[in-house]
Amino acid sequence: MSKVQRIGVFTSGGDAPGMNAAVRAVVRACIYYKKTPFGIYRGYDGMISGEIKELNSRSVSNIIQRGGTILKSARSAEFRTPEGRKKAYESLKKHGIDAFVAIGGDGTFRGAQIFSQEYDIPVVGLPGTIDNDLNGTDFTIGYDTAVNTAASAIDKVRDTASSHNRLFFIEVMGRHSGQIAVRSSIAAGAEATMIPEEPMSIDDLIRILERGADHKKSSSLVVVAEGGETGRSINIAKEVQERFSHYDTKVTILGHLLRGGSPTVADRVLASQLGVSAVEYLIDGKTGGMLGVVNNQIKFTPFDQATQNVHNLDPEMMRIAAILSV
Ligand code: ATP
């Protein structure tokens, strides 16, 4: 019989739509396999302070369609210290928790890796971040919803851009990843995409915009990935405006809008699949890695590989975006 009987689940780092669906799946799978699920509130901070509650099937009713996370999320400075992690371990032991599921991004997994090396407690991670910046999964939970939100916002900006002969810079989140930018740019038919993985010079951008103006485009949309520097589109827009005055230039920063909203079907299903698998992997004695879906198959990737040298932007997507912007 599996040693694992009492399983904790928490959400950590930046929240992402679909985290609730993942929590629900973990809880329901625990009940299915006759394990006791526990919700750990406010990420590692709540683990340290003992904000832990036993959950049941009804605790996760009516949440699959809701954005945010019912367990709340946090960034915990204290968990980065050995003393903080000792307190976290003591809280888990106090509740008899013998394994847990960590839903978050790369930082969450780095923390989980260190913790599971220091203390003998099995942990499986689920990729919960809108940025799609982890190895070992085609998509992270929340990415599809964020891209859909970005695309529909860009559609709306296009209506006003084309009514006034305007050039719009639309900045999207993604930290150091251009994944949200590229996919939403293709989906909404933007003229250019600026991402950290393949930096574009202002000269190149102006050439694209001039070509659009020559082709009698009444407006132009440029999607800018924040690249870890919120507001960077403002400086880009200023520089372009000084050298290219064909259009009136405006900036829209979508920011945290992309974190909210009801998760798409793709995110709900991904979260459900991964939540069930996480419980099954823990029961089977697996630990120390993240679960993802690659080519429709569940894949286990050790934490250090999931978080290191992430270069998962598909160059084919950039090629398609460039062809379609002529
Ligand atoms: P997102 O990708 O959405 O930002 P994330 O999981 O990467 O999510 P972080 O704030 O980087 O978000 O990490 C979440 C938490 O994990 C941190 O607040 C911290 O408590 C813990 N953590 C991160 N790195 C470490 C580390 N090296 N050692 C211990 N704990 C860590």
Side-chain angles (χ1 to χ4, degrees):
M1 207 174 96
S2 169
K3 283 192 297 196
V4 171
Q5 294 301 327
R6 294 158 77 86
I7 298 178
V9 57
F10 69 91
T11 50
S12 162
D15 62 309
M19 278 182 161
N20 278 328
V23 170
R24 171 183 180 271
V26 169
V27 170
R28 295 264 163 103
C30 280
I31 291 160
Y32 179 85
Y33 287 111
K34 306 211 174 344
K35 307 295 172 193
T36 312
F38 288 84
I40 301 165
Y41 291 78
R42 294 195 311 108
Y44 289 122
D45 267 347
M47 197 187 271
I48 291 169
S49 59
E51 291 167 64
I52 298 174
K53 205 170 89 182
E54 186 177 327
L55 300 177
N56 58 42
S57 191
R58 298 280 70 78
S59 324
V60 290
S61 298
N62 199 18
I63 65 166
I64 193 168
Q65 78 285 15
R66 280 167 56 193
T69 158
I70 60 157
L71 294 181
K72 313 281 185 192
S73 190
R75 300 191 195 271
S76 169
E78 201 179 353
F79 195 76
R80 292 176 184 273
T81 66
E83 298 75 31
R85 294 194 292 274
K86 184 161 181 283
K87 281 192 211 159
Y89 179 71
E90 282 159 5
S91 296
L92 294 179
K93 283 291 113 184
K94 196 170 143 208
H95 288 85
I97 293 173
D98 40 32
F100 65 89
V101 179
I103 306 170
D106 56 345
T108 300
F109 298 155
R110 270 188 219 108
Q113 188 182 12
I114 294 170
F115 189 63
S116 67
Q117 283 163 355
E118 287 174 343
Y119 299 97
D120 185 24
I121 181 154
V123 51
V124 164
L126 297 186
T129 166
I130 63 168
D131 303 336
N132 207 29
D133 59 350
L134 291 162
N135 291 320
T137 193
D138 289 338
F139 300 113
T140 54
I141 297 164
Y143 172 66
D144 187 65
T145 305
V147 168
N148 274 278
T149 304
S152 82
I154 298 167
D155 289 345
K156 291 184 173 77
V157 169
R158 181 186 289 286
D159 289 345
T160 169
S162 54
S163 307
H164 289 274
N165 247 22
R166 275 178 179 159
L167 163 61
F168 261 93
F169 287 85
I170 301 145
E171 183 175 308
V172 297
M173 275 189 164
R175 288 197 311 166
H176 300 287
S177 165
Q179 297 251 10
I180 294 177
V182 175
R183 204 165 172 88
S184 59
S185 176
I186 292 174
E191 274 63 39
T193 318
M194 303 184 82
I195 56 168
E197 292 90 337
E198 286 180 31
M200 179 190 287
S201 68
I202 299 291
D203 287 345
D204 285 344
L205 176 60
I206 289 175
R207 262 193 291 280
I208 292 170
L209 297 173
E210 281 170 346
R211 188 183 61 192
D214 290 347
H215 291 180
K216 309 266 177 297
K217 288 197 179 195
S218 62
S219 63
S220 275
L221 302 178
V222 178
V223 178
V224 181
E226 65 176 6
E229 185 197 330
T230 308
R232 95 180 175 108
S233 55
I234 295 170
N235 289 337
I236 296 172
K238 262 192 207 140
E239 217 178 310
V240 170
Q241 174 82 81
E242 279 162 17
R243 295 171 50 189
F244 179 76
S245 54
H246 188 85
Y247 303 112
D248 183 20
T249 301
K250 300 282 177 200
V251 176
T252 299
I253 299 175
L254 298 182
H256 285 78
L257 198 79
L258 303 189
R259 290 262 180 94
S262 179
T264 58
V265 168
D267 275 331
R268 295 182 201 191
V269 173
L270 176 66
S272 300
Q273 246 183 314
L274 292 176
V276 169
S277 295
V279 172
E280 292 172 342
Y281 270 63
L282 286 173
I283 292 171
D284 285 348
K286 306 273 196 331
T287 179
M290 182 199 89
L291 289 178
V293 172
V294 176
N295 293 333
N296 256 336
Q297 299 289 321
I298 298 285
K299 186 175 173 200
F300 180 88
T301 304
F303 284 136
D304 54 348
Q305 288 171 31
T307 55
Q308 267 169 28
N309 303 322
V310 178
H311 292 296
N312 54 2
L313 183 80
D314 184 354
E316 183 61 7
M317 289 290 125
M318 281 306 282
R319 196 180 75 84
I320 288 168
I323 290 175
L324 295 179
S325 69
V326 289

